[in-house]
């Protein structure tokens, strides 16, 4: 079985996300996004460089959801495809690059957030699966063994 892979892009949102609509009435989200750049020095330190920027767009329902969830400054990870397009500027054709995202989420290595698992199709959270509950208990017990002073509790 082949694993389907897509391109990814991570970075920060550099402008206020803009939601517009195509001539067909489909939602279109536009964001200017940046990627921090660093240079690794011989002494083991890093030097911050100027970030690089590109355009990120999304379409339809995904665009509407992302517009509700993301703000300028948010760190993200997106899945999609890089595209080159031609636009006319002052009567002259110009090529531009953009990332067309099909999925986007906050970067959990940088962003603190709470997950709401109820989802639009569920009215009440479902009970956790037994295997997940066992894994959570094992982790809590392991943390308690490593740090007996910790306040980890496991409830039934």
């Amino acid at each position: 079985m082949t694993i389907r892979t897509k391109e990814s892009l991570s970075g920060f949102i550099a402008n206020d996300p803009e939601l517009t609509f195509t001539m067909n009435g489909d939602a279109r989200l536009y964001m200017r996004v940046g990627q921090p750049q660093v240079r690794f020095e011989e002494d083991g330190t890093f030097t911050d460089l100027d970030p690089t920027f590109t355009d990120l767009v999304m379409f339809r329902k995904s665009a509407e959801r992302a517009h509700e969830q993301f703000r300028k400054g948010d760190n993200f990870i997106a899945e999609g495809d890089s595209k080159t397009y031609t636009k006319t500027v002052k009567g002259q054709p110009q090529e531009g690059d953009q990332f067309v995202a099909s999925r986007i989420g906050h970067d959990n290595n940088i962003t603190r957030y709470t997950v709401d698992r109820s989802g639009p199709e569920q009215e009440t959270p479902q009970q956790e699966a037994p295997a997940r509950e066992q894994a959570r208990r094992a982790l809590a017990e392991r943390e308690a063994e490593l740090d007996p002073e910790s306040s980890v509790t496991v409830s039934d």
Side-chain angles (χ1 to χ4, degrees):
M1 180 173 157
T2 303
I3 297 174
R4 181 185 63 90
T5 61
K6 301 278 276 178
E7 290 181 67
S8 67
L9 175 69
S10 63
F12 62 92
I13 300 172
N15 71 318
D16 291 322
E18 301 169 20
L19 185 66
T20 58
F21 294 87
T22 67
M23 286 194 264
N24 296 337
D26 293 330
R28 177 187 181 269
L29 177 69
Y30 166 81
M31 298 187 286
R32 187 78 175 155
V33 298
Q35 288 186 310
Q37 302 293 314
V38 295
R39 179 178 57 232
F40 182 70
E41 305 294 350
E42 289 182 17
D43 65 0
T45 61
F46 293 92
T47 300
D48 289 331
L49 304 174
D50 290 336
T52 57
F53 293 90
T54 192
D55 296 330
L56 182 147
V57 295
M58 292 185 82
F59 295 93
R60 293 175 280 291
K61 198 67 171 170
S62 296
E64 293 177 34
R65 285 190 204 107
H67 186 257
E68 292 174 8
Q69 296 295 319
F70 288 88
R71 301 289 176 260
K72 180 179 177 178
D74 285 355
N75 295 290
F76 70 91
I77 299 174
E79 173 186 83
D81 296 295
S82 297
K83 302 283 184 187
T84 300
Y85 63 94
T86 303
K87 63 182 177 180
T88 304
V89 178
K90 297 181 181 177
Q92 297 296 315
Q94 251 185 3
E95 282 195 349
D97 295 318
Q98 66 183 3
F99 189 82
V100 181
S102 54
R103 298 175 182 273
I104 190 168
H106 289 93
D107 184 345
N108 71 334
N109 286 334
I110 301 171
T111 307
R112 295 176 63 191
Y113 59 92
T114 302
V115 177
D116 176 3
R117 288 191 169 79
S118 60
E121 69 282 347
Q122 302 173 17
E123 289 301 316
T124 58
Q126 293 182 351
Q127 185 177 9
E128 290 187 36
R132 177 179 248 174
E133 183 60 30
Q134 284 179 328
R136 195 176 78 187
R137 286 176 185 272
L139 179 59
E141 289 169 5
R142 181 171 169 239
E143 288 176 356
E145 288 173 6
L146 294 174
D147 184 8
E149 303 289 304
S150 73
S151 60
V152 175
T153 58
V154 179
S155 59
D156 289 325

